Amino acid sequence: MINKLIAKIQKMNAPIVVGLDPMMKFVPEHIRNAAFAEHGETLEGAAEAIWQYNKGIVDAICDLVPAVKPQIAMYEQFGLPGLTAFKKTVDYCREKDLVVIGDVKRGDIGSTSEAYAVGHLGKVQTGDSRHYGFNEDFVTVNPYLGSDGVNPFLKICDEEKKGIFVLVKTSNPSSGELQDRMVKDGPDGEKPLYEIVGGMVAAWAREHMPETGNYSYVGAVVGATYPEQGRILREIMPGSFILVPGYGAQGGRGADLVHFFDRDGLGAIVNSSRGIIAAYQQEQYARYGSQCYADASRAAVLAMREDIGAALGRS
């Protein structure tokens, strides 16, 4: 799956992933009204609204970007109907030949971690049969419980030829409270914790490579808001693709991203969520209005592609 992602990035000239992180305040009124007319102001109505909202965006951008990244918490808040909307979104995106990165940030140990891995990437045993659960192509994984929490995902990646993005240096302002702490690393001194985790990711990546290609099933999450750390981690993890959140609404810009990429302009994929899916609510795209919200999202993708392309010398 990592090679499919790279091939699509190269074909579209767009190292971009759209975060499908719907909130009710983003969903245009006409979509909410239609869903509530059918289901009432219920969890089912809310889930129907976000599903229809997602579908419009996916239809508008699927020929421009290689991947989408639905954040499961935005669906879980609506209970079982929300999880149904998540599954419908994943399936629809796969029908459109988009690579799906499930932003689930799972991290546990033992059989619990194995169940997460099977549920999102693999097949679960049901009697004599095995079935995919959510069936994403990649998921995000929290490594801070240690290798016990990551190993089950690595096993499924090898079996299914899918992938993970391991949280290393996240984009949120308080990430440094833990991730930047200096930790003793052998007899020679100290390193920031994120560098130690990056070294672990690099080791996992070397052990879990596809049959062809230069990049592993094991990638990393490094926030666009920390470009200097991105430069350091790119060197530490040469075989890992980097998922870069924090573009746009969180402050990251194309000019900040050069060091996340390798010399060939590959090695990273940049996420924008509300900057794209709620573009119609921004001043520069207000002319589209809520009825044409998906067209505004398409325009935002084109602008993001131009910004990143200029930073990488592609335009």
Side-chain angles (χ1 to χ4, degrees):
M1 191 54 65
I2 184 62
N3 289 333
K4 177 180 178 178
L5 176 61
I6 292 170
K8 289 181 70 66
I9 289 172
Q10 292 175 312
K11 180 180 179 180
M12 296 178 168
N13 195 26
I16 294 169
V17 55
V18 174
L20 297 177
D21 303 356
M23 301 177 68
M24 290 304 292
K25 66 182 180 181
F26 297 160
V27 180
E29 184 177 10
H30 69 278
I31 296 177
R32 295 199 308 268
N33 288 345
F36 291 155
E38 182 177 358
H39 300 282
E41 292 188 1
T42 61
L43 294 174
E44 288 77 11
E48 176 65 16
I50 63 173
W51 155 238
Q52 294 297 337
Y53 170 67
N54 283 350
K55 186 173 182 293
I57 292 170
V58 170
D59 287 343
I61 56 92
C62 63
D63 63 323
L64 299 179
V65 300
V68 292
K69 183 174 71 65
Q71 162 50 257
I72 198 168
M74 299 304 181
Y75 303 83
E76 287 178 340
Q77 64 184 324
F78 300 110
L80 292 178
L83 285 176
T84 297
F86 179 84
K87 175 59 174 169
K88 288 168 71 173
T89 297
V90 170
D91 289 347
Y92 189 69
C93 291
R94 289 175 61 91
E95 288 175 15
K96 294 291 187 178
D97 199 36
L98 289 162
V99 174
V100 179
I101 302 170
D103 194 355
V104 301
K105 295 185 176 69
R106 297 307 191 218
D108 214 301
I109 59 172
S111 59
T112 308
S113 185
E114 182 179 353
Y116 281 139
V118 167
H120 285 279
L121 294 177
K123 293 179 179 178
V124 65
Q125 193 78 36
T126 57
D128 294 329
S129 302
R130 299 174 73 229
H131 301 275
Y132 284 112
F134 290 110
N135 198 22
E136 299 103 301
D137 300 306
F138 293 82
V139 293
T140 54
V141 175
N142 188 335
Y144 286 94
L145 274 74
S147 57
D148 290 343
V150 178
N151 287 335
F153 288 91
L154 299 176
K155 180 176 182 292
I156 296 295
C157 286
D158 288 339
E159 292 173 357
E160 297 287 341
K161 312 305 181 188
K162 294 185 176 183
I164 58 174
F165 289 100
V166 180
L167 305 183
V168 177
K169 177 60 181 170
T170 56
S171 60
N172 55 302
S174 65
S175 67
E177 292 175 1
L178 294 176
Q179 295 166 20
D180 293 359
R181 284 186 175 255
M182 301 302 291
V183 178
K184 187 173 181 180
D185 184 44
D188 298 325
E190 296 181 327
K191 289 182 180 178
L193 180 57
Y194 70 81
E195 287 192 25
I196 293 174
V197 176
M200 295 175 69
V201 170
W204 290 325
R206 288 191 294 270
E207 296 169 1
H208 300 277
M209 294 290 294
E211 294 179 1
T212 60
N214 297 323
Y215 281 99
S216 170
Y217 300 133
V218 183
V221 177
V222 183
T225 44
Y226 298 103
E228 176 58 22
Q229 286 89 335
R231 181 190 65 78
I232 294 168
L233 289 164
R234 175 74 283 161
E235 294 178 1
I236 292 173
M237 306 179 299
S240 291
F241 228 74
I242 298 177
L243 171 61
V244 187
Y247 179 91
Q250 289 184 326
R253 304 169 301 160
D256 299 326
L257 304 177
V258 174
H259 297 307
F260 291 86
F261 292 83
D262 64 23
R263 294 178 181 177
D264 296 325
L266 292 172
I269 186 165
V270 183
N271 177 78
S272 179
S273 298
R274 61 185 181 273
I276 291 175
I277 67 173
Y280 79 98
Q281 295 182 343
Q282 302 170 29
E283 183 177 354
Q284 64 265 47
Y285 302 111
R287 65 187 183 278
Y288 289 95
S290 62
Q291 290 286 337
C292 297
Y293 76 98
D295 294 327
S297 295
R298 183 177 179 87
V301 167
L302 290 170
M304 180 179 176
R305 187 166 71 177
E306 182 177 353
D307 179 42
I308 295 174
L312 297 176
R314 295 176 178 169
S315 60

